Amino acid sequence: MRYISTRDGVLRVSAQDAIVRGLAEDGGLYTPEVLPNFTAHAFESMRDMAYQQRAVFVMNAFLDDFAAGELSSFAEKAYGTDKFDSPAIAPLRRVTDGVSCLELWHGPTSAFKDMALQMLPHLLSASLVKTGEERSVLILVATSGDTGKAALEGFRDVDGTAILVFYPKDGVSRVQELQMVTQEGKNVGVCSVRGNFDDAQTGVKAIFSDVSLRKTLSKRGWFLSSANSINWGRVLPQIVYYVSAYCDLLNQGTLVPGEKFNVCVPTGNFGNILSAYYAKSMGVPIGRLVCASNRNDVLTDFINTGVYDRNRPFYNTLSPSMDILVSSNLERLLYGLSEGGAEEVREYMSSLAETGRYEVDETVKKKISRLFWAGSCDDALTRETIAAVWKEHGYLIDPHTAVAFHVFKQYRKETGDTAPGLVVSTASPFKFCDSVLPAIGVSPVSSGTDLIGELSAAAGIAPPKNLAALGSKPVRFTGVTEKDGMTREVLKMLER
Ligand SMILES: *Cc1c(COP(=O)(O)O)cnc(C)c1O
């Protein structure tokens, strides 16, 4: 299978090239030229498989030049029970008769980013070998939270790779900072930057466009890459859990083969829900794709009107991983739906770059409203939903998941559609103790990592091991740099 840039109808590359390059040279995103189609028989055979085998089955359909044995070894490493605290890897939790929750936070950092970032490093490392690249890759990440830690865990001790994460000194929570500065592994580095997230991000972008630095690195056998969510190697592993969830819904008797179910996804950069769209296109009988946003509701408006307009205020909310104004992965959906192909997408994207806005044509609008439904949920409703789900079902959820629960309820009420629902849960509530505790009626008396124990006591639930151990892990990284000093940190890292 070949991959094509969303902004160029001609350029075709192999899967390994798409994964090594990340972004296409024309600024587009690599997307499969055609999607595989799974028959009822394929789903039947996957029902008895473990998650790791389902991952091999699905990924194998997209990665021609990777042997099944190779993919099996990646899946064993990425989704081992030493990394995940549930043998099901992405287990379902039945909340009511008609609604199940897909828990994507049983990995090493307790957030859904692990599902993809545990797999990407293996795909990347093997792709480097396949493309004949002899240099090693240095992954640079600027993070405001979950991605940095998940990328560190994914790349730690993976051959041919090293990773350096920059975070804003005063822009992440104490728990998030501790998660990063206690990171283990021989090939990892973490450094804080004086300033906010934008400073860290601008610094990383400047490093990427520093031609002389690239030359220096290349002489020493290194080149730079990023692990951000537009890489095909991050989207693909996310398709797996939708296929897997369908198999599990069949196995638990919630669905009969071919029966439709609706999926509701708490959405930021549009990567997760895009994967659900691909799964649907491949034959998973998903009815509606329900897109849940917080107060930053640019996607809600887009899906309801066909107008994408980023010219609006930015809000910091209780669900920070969804605080976003430009959802990069939406470009892949536009490519999939537009009749004008790459040329049409290029026009939308240049309009977005120039004016911050674009409007899709009638055909795309119609397709979007058949496939998707969208709603949003503010902080007050987020708290209410955490409280209600806890009280009514004894199920503790994080603020991102709460946004999805609320919007799914809205969807059912407004459409009357009572088909079985799958609500996607993207983080452990223990990652967001400071908002979950008050929501369930407890005024926190402690701070930092002590909140984890407090939530555990209040709810009577054990916290994930990685979070419980945080307070006692040795700090390995204490570096602070000015924005101007980030290049030096890169060079220092490679001298170690
Ligand atoms: C990244 C993230 C999201 C948003 O996912 P997208 O793929 O960017 O839409 C939602 N919830 C949590 C907890 C996340 O970390």
Side-chain angles (χ1 to χ4, degrees), residues 139-402:
I139 304 292
L140 287 187
V141 181
T143 186
S144 57
D146 292 344
T147 305
K149 175 63 184 178
L152 285 163
E153 269 304 322
F155 279 96
R156 83 186 245 196
D157 299 327
V158 172
D159 289 345
T161 76
I163 176 165
L164 177 56
V165 171
F166 292 103
Y167 69 90
K169 182 77 195 126
D170 301 311
V172 301
S173 76
R174 181 66 190 143
V175 169
Q176 285 173 323
E177 179 171 38
L178 271 178
Q179 277 191 305
M180 291 189 276
V181 298
T182 58
Q183 176 65 44
E184 292 159 17
K186 291 189 290 289
N187 62 339
V188 302
V190 176
C191 183
S192 65
V193 180
R194 280 205 188 85
N196 57 25
F197 173 64
D198 256 356
D199 295 315
Q201 169 122 304
T202 312
V204 165
K205 282 192 182 149
I207 294 172
F208 272 109
S209 51
D210 184 339
V211 179
S212 90
L213 176 68
R214 279 175 177 259
K215 273 199 195 131
T216 309
L217 294 180
S218 191
K219 273 193 217 130
R220 298 193 197 169
W222 289 91
F223 75 103
L224 298 174
S225 185
S226 85
N228 62 27
S229 75
I230 50 90
N231 193 305
W232 178 250
R234 274 188 68 175
V235 178
L236 177 56
Q238 298 179 167
I239 299 174
V240 175
Y241 50 73
Y242 289 104
V243 173
S244 177
Y246 172 51
C247 294
D248 289 341
L249 287 167
L250 291 172
N251 286 346
Q252 75 180 27
T254 305
L255 299 177
V256 295
E259 185 181 352
K260 286 226 157 86
F261 64 105
N262 299 312
V263 170
C264 182
V265 186
T267 299
N269 213 14
F270 210 76
N272 198 350
I273 196 165
L274 176 81
S275 309
Y277 160 75
Y278 285 140
K280 175 174 162 67
S281 312
M282 290 159 59
V284 177
I286 296 173
R288 275 298 182 81
L289 297 153
V290 181
C291 176
S293 299
N294 62 25
R295 194 176 173 203
N296 295 296
D297 55 359
V298 60
L299 284 167
T300 313
D301 290 347
F302 172 67
I303 288 169
N304 290 330
T305 66
V307 177
Y308 195 97
D309 191 351
R310 63 155 298 170
N311 304 302
R312 59 177 72 214
F314 174 86
Y315 300 106
N316 288 306
T317 73
L318 295 180
S319 42
S321 297
M322 295 153 68
D323 291 343
I324 214 164
L325 289 177
V326 176
S327 300
S328 326
N329 264 307
L330 187 59
E331 184 169 342
R332 285 192 166 106
L333 178 74
L334 296 177
Y335 183 79
L337 300 184
S338 66
E339 272 159 25
E343 202 173 319
E344 191 174 327
V345 174
R346 213 158 52 221
E347 274 168 32
Y348 295 148
M349 291 304 123
S350 67
S351 168
L352 181 67
E354 281 156 28
T355 66
R357 180 185 186 280
Y358 61 87
E359 177 165 9
V360 293
D361 72 11
E362 281 307 317
T363 330
V364 178
K365 246 184 243 182
K366 276 210 195 86
K367 287 187 192 165
I368 287 179
S369 51
R370 266 202 304 271
L371 291 162
F372 290 86
W373 195 89
S376 53
C377 172
D378 64 15
D379 281 353
L381 281 166
T382 302
R383 284 194 204 93
E384 270 177 41
T385 306
I386 294 172
V389 173
W390 174 240
K391 206 166 139 216
E392 288 159 30
H393 309 293
Y395 186 41
L396 195 63
I397 55 174
D398 95 291
H400 302 78
T401 308

